[in-house]
Amino acid sequence: MSSLLAALMLSMLFQQADPETRIIEYLKANVKPGRPVVVSDLLNNVFKRPEEQQALQRLFNTFFKIPMAVAQFYTQTKKIPTLQQLSEQFGFKVPGEMDVILKVMESDPRIPKFLERNPRTGEITRIDVTAIKADPRFGQVLERTIAGWEGKPAPSFSIRSFAGQPLTSAQLAGQPHLVYFWFTNCPPCVQTAPLLVKLYAKYSSQGFRIVAANADHVLDLPYDDKVRADYVKKTGISFLTGQVTPEMQQAYGGVTVFPTLFFVNRQGRVVRQLVSFHDEAALDLAIRETLKP
């Protein structure tokens, strides 16, 4: 096959790919150490279609959440997240997407050098939470996110249920409950949902309630109401479901790792905060602590 023909075929495949794939493949070929990626240049000169610009904007918004997500995950779990785990947190589907986004960060001298990676595998080997905290773009939000929530009053919220009705924290006053932040098809959320369905059936008769606060909209994920309704039906969720607003997300510390769970007692105080996937025993224990007089 001639080089010209190969180039034409690659060009055709590139054009047929979905917008996010096109962007990632472009970045793989063009990210250079020490040269920051300028989003306005990409919007004006490379990715001019509306669907491409929407995908690029989502990646740009994600870009500034990654340091906080890495630090929150590490602080809460005492483990360094894998590239696969981070991809799951941000709904990345393109092979190598998280690796290339981290390369964009590493190439930009404006971003603090908050992590070290294995040069062969790309996996993160060290996280400098102090460096992230010291950066004014991340520090204040991160401090609120990872600060100990146990014993603090649960923030109030006012959102809309999936059915379009008001869903507020005031409606839960005096009731032990869980505020469960998740997004559609988030792998650790998919693992968590059946456990919550089972435990809700076990403890709802004791007054325990769950609010499943879906973050699709604030994360700019391309899921519609039908997809969410199908997910709820498939998993057997019968507890309250609603759409997270930016105000609610920020009130709860700017949640960046999913799922994040806040267990709130009858007095309206957080008795336990859990981040990422936890097994049934851990969830059961947290609910029983929530139900204590």
Side-chain angles (χ1 to χ4, degrees):
M1 181 184 296
S2 70
S3 59
L4 177 58
L5 180 58
L8 287 172
M9 291 182 66
L10 285 173
S11 177
M12 290 175 63
L13 289 172
F14 180 79
Q15 293 301 321
Q16 291 171 1
D18 67 86
E20 197 154 320
T21 298
R22 293 200 293 271
I23 293 167
I24 294 302
E25 293 304 319
Y26 178 88
L27 292 174
K28 285 180 181 179
N30 289 279
V31 172
K32 306 297 181 186
R35 288 171 50 188
V37 173
V38 181
V39 174
S40 59
D41 287 347
L42 297 180
L43 290 170
N44 293 329
N45 303 315
V46 183
F47 299 108
K48 300 180 181 181
R49 300 175 181 175
E51 65 273 18
E52 292 175 335
Q53 297 199 345
Q54 183 178 3
L56 185 59
Q57 189 62 53
R58 181 178 101 80
L59 292 175
F60 177 73
N61 292 340
T62 298
F63 185 84
F64 289 98
K65 296 174 183 176
I66 290 174
M68 294 183 291
V70 169
Q72 185 188 6
F73 188 101
Y74 179 71
T75 302
Q76 297 289 348
T77 68
K78 310 306 178 187
K79 297 178 181 178
I80 294 176
T82 65
L83 297 188
Q84 179 62 34
Q85 286 173 319
L86 288 173
S87 295
E88 292 172 351
Q89 289 299 323
F90 291 101
F92 288 169
K93 305 294 185 184
V94 182
E97 186 165 2
M98 180 54 70
D99 178 66
V100 85
I101 294 298
L102 290 177
K103 285 180 178 176
V104 171
M105 303 187 80
E106 291 163 340
S107 73
D108 194 330
R110 299 168 298 178
I111 302 296
K113 305 306 178 186
F114 65 93
L115 55 81
E116 294 177 4
R117 297 206 289 157
N118 184 309
R120 182 178 61 85
T121 65
E123 293 292 344
I124 299 170
T125 57
R126 189 183 73 87
I127 298 170
D128 189 344
V129 176
T130 302
I132 302 174
K133 285 184 177 180
D135 190 285
R137 289 166 294 187
F138 311 125
Q140 186 175 3
V141 175
L142 176 61
E143 197 65 49
R144 293 175 58 235
T145 302
I146 65 177
W149 282 88
E150 286 79 3
K152 294 183 177 180
S156 60
F157 62 85
S158 178
I159 60 177
R160 288 280 173 180
S161 72
F162 281 6
Q165 301 301 314
L167 177 54
T168 71
S169 51
Q171 295 168 356
L172 299 165
Q175 302 177 72
H177 62 276
L178 163 64
V179 180
Y180 162 55
F181 286 84
W182 64 288
F183 66 83
T184 304
N185 292 332
C186 147
C189 305
V190 169
Q191 291 178 280
T192 300
L195 302 180
L196 293 180
V197 168
K198 181 178 179 180
L199 291 169
Y200 184 67
K202 179 179 179 181
Y203 289 110
S204 60
S205 63
Q206 298 181 44
F208 181 68
R209 298 290 178 261
I210 298 176
V211 174
N214 179 273
D216 288 353
H217 287 173
V218 295
L219 296 177
D220 297 320
L221 296 175
Y223 298 113
D224 58 23
D225 291 343
K226 183 181 185 305
V227 171
R228 283 184 286 273
D230 289 345
Y231 177 88
V232 168
K233 182 178 180 180
K234 180 180 178 180
T235 54
I237 290 174
S238 59
F239 38 81
L240 297 169
T241 54
Q243 295 283 2
V244 175
T245 61
E247 293 77 14
M248 182 184 185
Q249 184 186 27
Q250 292 307 311
Y252 279 82
V255 173
T256 53
V257 177
F258 298 86
T260 291
L261 306 93
F262 296 86
F263 294 84
V264 182
N265 65 14
R266 290 180 175 84
Q267 290 73 44
R269 295 189 176 274
V270 177
V271 298
R272 183 69 66 91
Q273 178 196 15
L274 297 178
V275 171
S276 196
F277 174 75
H278 287 266
D279 62 21
E280 183 178 345
L283 296 172
D284 191 285
L285 176 60
I287 292 173
R288 284 188 279 114
E289 289 180 357
T290 304
L291 288 168
K292 288 180 180 179

